Amino acid sequence: MDALQLLQQRNSASKLVEPAPSENEMADVFAAAARAPDHARLRPWRFRVIEGDARARLGELYADAAKRRNPALGEADLQRFRRQPLRAPMILVVSALVQAHPKVPKIEQLLSAGCAAHASLLALEALGYAAIWRTGDHAFDPQVMAGLGMRENEEVIGFLYVGSRDGAVKPLPELAPDEFVEKWTGL
């Protein structure tokens, strides 16, 4: 697959199964992520790899945080939260470690980490794997962030669920550039 074709055809996969990428393949993924735009070379992106039994522990963290957010949740809802991390053989928690810098505002650092996450999705696809980027309440929950060992100045960018695609690639509608591009000619 050439680079332009990869960029034009990558899409999310909600059904993921084994195998997940190997450590060597993930080294290539992280090398691609490290090429994200990075003003002042702050390298704000961070990745936490969650596999195997750690996924069940993440599910418990999700359930505990959800119960704290909404004490009225029943056992069926809590079980749903516990199962969420089991939907893929690997989860990459992508975060931004935001640093004070006179020339690089917080938004640039968050966007840089987002670009690193996107580069990871592209690299995974290029290697023959699939992924889906998820957020939701867990991404903004202080209890989840603390449970993941995040620092005070760190924010979740997304949870990338990673594995092998189960089923066909879902068709995505083609977007015409005139739907989102306009030419600015000055004042």
Side-chain angles (χ1 to χ4, degrees):
M1 177 179 290
D2 73 15
L4 194 54
Q5 184 182 24
L6 172 69
L7 290 165
Q8 293 173 344
Q9 294 182 0
R10 192 220 71 85
N11 68 33
S12 297
S14 59
K15 293 183 180 180
L16 298 160
V17 295
E18 295 281 355
S22 68
E23 274 191 52
N24 286 341
E25 290 169 317
M26 288 309 299
D28 287 337
V29 169
F30 296 135
R35 300 301 297 180
D38 181 18
H39 190 181
R41 295 188 180 151
L42 295 179
R43 296 174 180 91
W45 53 81
R46 297 294 181 271
F47 289 83
R48 287 170 176 82
V49 180
I50 301 173
E51 302 174 281
D53 293 340
R55 295 173 306 138
R57 290 190 289 280
L58 179 61
E60 287 300 327
L61 179 59
Y62 283 177
D64 291 346
K67 185 72 171 175
R68 186 192 47 74
R69 288 191 306 267
N70 182 359
L73 284 177
E75 188 55 35
D77 289 319
L78 295 175
Q79 279 300 96
R80 184 174 50 85
F81 287 117
R82 288 182 185 105
R83 286 191 304 268
Q84 284 178 344
L86 304 177
R87 296 183 288 198
M90 176 188 287
I91 299 170
L92 302 177
V93 182
V94 185
S95 60
L97 186 62
V98 179
Q99 304 157 57
H101 193 281
K103 294 184 178 181
V104 187
K106 177 181 178 178
I107 187 67
E108 281 190 38
Q109 296 178 55
L110 295 173
L111 290 168
S112 179
C115 288
H118 187 246
S120 299
L121 292 175
L122 293 171
L124 288 161
E125 189 89 10
L127 290 169
Y129 296 98
I132 187 168
W133 184 329
R134 298 184 184 274
T135 53
D137 291 338
H138 305 314
F140 309 103
D141 190 294
Q143 183 176 345
V144 171
M145 289 188 271
L148 289 167
M150 293 191 174
R151 301 175 191 162
E152 256 184 54
N153 59 327
E154 194 171 3
E155 296 184 31
V156 172
I157 298 300
F159 298 93
L160 305 185
Y161 285 64
V162 178
S164 296
R165 189 179 302 273
D166 185 13
V169 174
K170 67 181 176 188
L172 292 177
E174 292 294 321
L175 295 176
D178 63 356
E179 294 181 53
F180 58 92
V181 176
E182 62 184 61
K183 187 168 281 218
W184 187 81
T185 58
L187 301 174

